[in-house]
Amino acid sequence: MTLSMLAHRDDVGLKDGLLLVGGQWRASSDGATWTHRHPATHEEIGSFAVAGVEDVDAAVKAARKAFDEGTWPRATVSERVRVLHKFSGLLREHSTELTKLLALDNGVPISFGNIYAASVTVAADVFDHHAGWIDKAGGETFPGYQGGDKLAMTFREPIGVVAAILPWNAPFLLFAQKLGPALAAGCTVVLKPSEFATFAALRMVELLSEAGLPEGVVNVVTGPGNPTGEALITHPLVDKISFTGSRAVGKRIVEASAGTLKRVSMELGGKSPALVFPGAEVALAAATAMGTVTMGLSGQACIAQTRALVHRDCYDEFLAVAQGVAGYMTYGDPFDPAVLASPLINEKQLDRVLGYIQKGQEEGARLVMGGTRMQGEYSNGNFVAPALFADVENSMTIAQEEIFGPVLAVVPFSDEDEAIRLANDTEYGLGAGVFTKDAKQAFRVAKRLRAGTIGINGFQVEPHLPFGGFQQSGLGREGGRSAYEAYTELKTVMMPLSEAMM
Ligand code: NAD
């Protein structure tokens, strides 16, 4: 049977994508477009406008005008809360449609798109969470430091025009993690979805208008990093860049933002370890680690636990369960509820992942299973059979670099100190898993790990919990109060109350 996405596309009624500038949907000024090919079949699914420098300039100026003169930054608490809650309700109502659009965008199976952390529901919950900060995240009042009758206070004000740049792998959650706090704080936005996941994001923006968001508050520029992304990150009227994506582009954004000292928050890549101690539930640990590099996104997830550090006492058991979990994965039509894992997003990523698998073998790691491109009915797509590497040394390339594919590297260790040393021997620091039945050991190890989020015998992204990275995994946190505050500037206002101090 030959896989095809075209009937699904027609069923969803996918229409070509346009830019949104100051409330008007329109083509790019030079007529440029991008044709999206599905990662499972390479079929042409649809096309969308590519915003050039002129279009990005118009979108940023529309956001600037909406910020400087429009109603949203000056709206009452109740107006903003109402719009954001209406939007979260619309997201829930359109959940099935959006999940199908995502499957057409990036090939993530519907089965996985319905799992909480990847779902439309989590995006709706993130908006509700941030709507809750609008009437709570106020300023403070202070006494005079050197005496005197003085009133001093702080206010939180919206930071201004936000450029929100999304990756392709988790657009529901990341749309919400950026636009939720930005809109709650009263900012205006220019959104750039990934060129590999545009259609679901465009539909979410239509729903924002339906929820009553005023024109010009959210503008959309679609297209690739160059020219669209570059024009956005170098635009002088952008106050803040909120980015999720690769470390390489993150570094470019820091460089490009220096000219006007833009505020920057970024969620970048990871090489997160799973530490598995003697006596732990080894099956749970192996299912979690192998699950994060196969299930749903086939390891194309920032938080995947791609480096399993396993005590020698349970090493063989871990490898056996990991093999079993990989063997359980099913591939094919993402609209089939029995399909559990996706293809790689594009041919460039396919070549990159196969290159890392080859490098792992050349450097002496033992390939236990998988690691080849899948054939037969899968041969038109970017499907790779999950690769399990044993006897990996932490210095090897496959243990150090983010592969972003279905590759699990298993490194043996002998004691707790060695495990922690290996876990922290990385340039990243996004997350880690600790698998043990000893609660004291769990917290002792969690405290010593240099990573932003630690899951003890389990892990879940939640709207109200800070999420982000140490070291080169990012700057700042998404989720929770600190995320809301990152879209505000703190202003101090003081006034002496006695004549003598005037
Ligand atoms: P990417 O860096 O290639 O692209 C991300 C976005 O940046 C896309 O919209 C792309 O068009 C844009 N872009 C590319 N070049 C640009 C430029 N010069 N200027 C401005 N924008 C530019 O990443 P990707 O392949 O879409 O996503 C995978 C990466 O994202 C992985 O490294 C993954 O770990 C990371 N990620 C991190 C998190 C997190 O929360 N930490 C979540 C998801 C993904």
Side-chain angles (χ1 to χ4, degrees), residues 72 75-82 84-85 124-139 155-158 176-186 462-467 477-488:
W72 187 252
T76 62
V77 168
S78 79
E79 282 164 341
R80 268 193 229 149
V81 168
R82 238 185 352 257
L84 295 190
H85 282 323
D125 285 353
V126 169
F127 271 91
D128 283 342
H129 168 72
H130 284 294
W133 285 120
I134 302 174
D135 64 352
K136 295 175 197 71
F155 293 88
R156 288 213 167 262
E157 298 187 353
Q177 295 276 51
K178 294 179 176 8
L179 270 67
L183 295 177
E462 301 253 32
H464 60 307
L465 299 181
F467 177 78
R477 295 290 179 269
E478 293 191 320
R481 182 178 184 137
S482 56
Y484 176 89
E485 290 181 349
Y487 290 84
T488 64

Side-chain angles (χ1 to χ4, degrees), residues 408-440:
L408 179 62
V410 187
V411 183
F413 70 83
S414 302
D415 60 41
E416 190 178 298
D417 280 343
E418 186 188 8
I420 291 165
R421 185 178 55 71
L422 292 170
N424 289 338
D425 177 21
T426 170
E427 291 176 341
Y428 291 103
L430 194 57
V434 180
F435 293 90
T436 174
K437 283 195 181 140
D438 176 345
K440 280 191 182 160

Side-chain angles (χ1 to χ4, degrees), residues 166 168-169 192 195 230 243-246 267-269 302 402:
L166 306 184
W168 61 267
N169 67 336
K192 195 198 95 54
E195 61 274 34
E230 276 291 323
F243 170 74
T244 298
S246 61
E267 299 294 335
L268 308 176
C302 57
E402 183 184 49

Side-chain angles (χ1 to χ4, degrees), residues 165-170 174 192-196 223-226 228-233 243-250 252-253 266-270 300-303 345 349 402 404 430 467-469 473 478:
I165 303 178
L166 306 184
W168 61 267
N169 67 336
L174 297 168
K192 195 198 95 54
S194 166
E195 61 274 34
F196 299 107
N226 210 349
T228 314
E230 276 291 323
L232 188 54
I233 62 176
F243 170 74
T244 298
S246 61
R247 182 171 63 165
V249 176
R252 167 69 195 130
I253 286 175
M266 45 183 67
E267 299 294 335
L268 308 176
Q300 301 168 105
C302 57
I303 199 61
I345 189 67
Q349 186 61 11
E402 183 184 49
F404 227 54
L430 194 57
F467 177 78
S473 282
E478 293 191 320

Side-chain angles (χ1 to χ4, degrees), residues 43-63:
E43 291 167 309
E44 290 186 4
I45 294 297
S47 61
F48 51 83
V50 170
V53 173
E54 210 179 297
D55 302 305
V56 171
D57 183 54
V60 174
K61 284 184 174 149

Side-chain angles (χ1 to χ4, degrees), residues 367-380:
L367 182 63
V368 177
M369 68 181 289
T372 53
R373 188 170 179 182
M374 291 163 71
Q375 300 301 324
E377 63 173 312
Y378 308 111
S379 58
N380 285 337

Side-chain angles (χ1 to χ4, degrees), residues 138-139 154-157 488-492:
T154 54
F155 293 88
R156 288 213 167 262
E157 298 187 353
T488 64
E489 289 281 12
L490 198 55
K491 181 181 278 178
T492 305

Side-chain angles (χ1 to χ4, degrees), residues 70-102:
T71 54
W72 187 252
R74 285 156 274 280
T76 62
V77 168
S78 79
E79 282 164 341
R80 268 193 229 149
V81 168
R82 238 185 352 257
V83 170
L84 295 190
H85 282 323
K86 175 133 192 239
F87 177 61
S88 63
L90 285 169
L91 283 180
R92 292 185 181 98
E93 259 174 55
H94 290 266
S95 164
T96 304
E97 176 198 357
L98 288 165
T99 309
K100 287 181 177 174
L101 284 169
L102 188 68

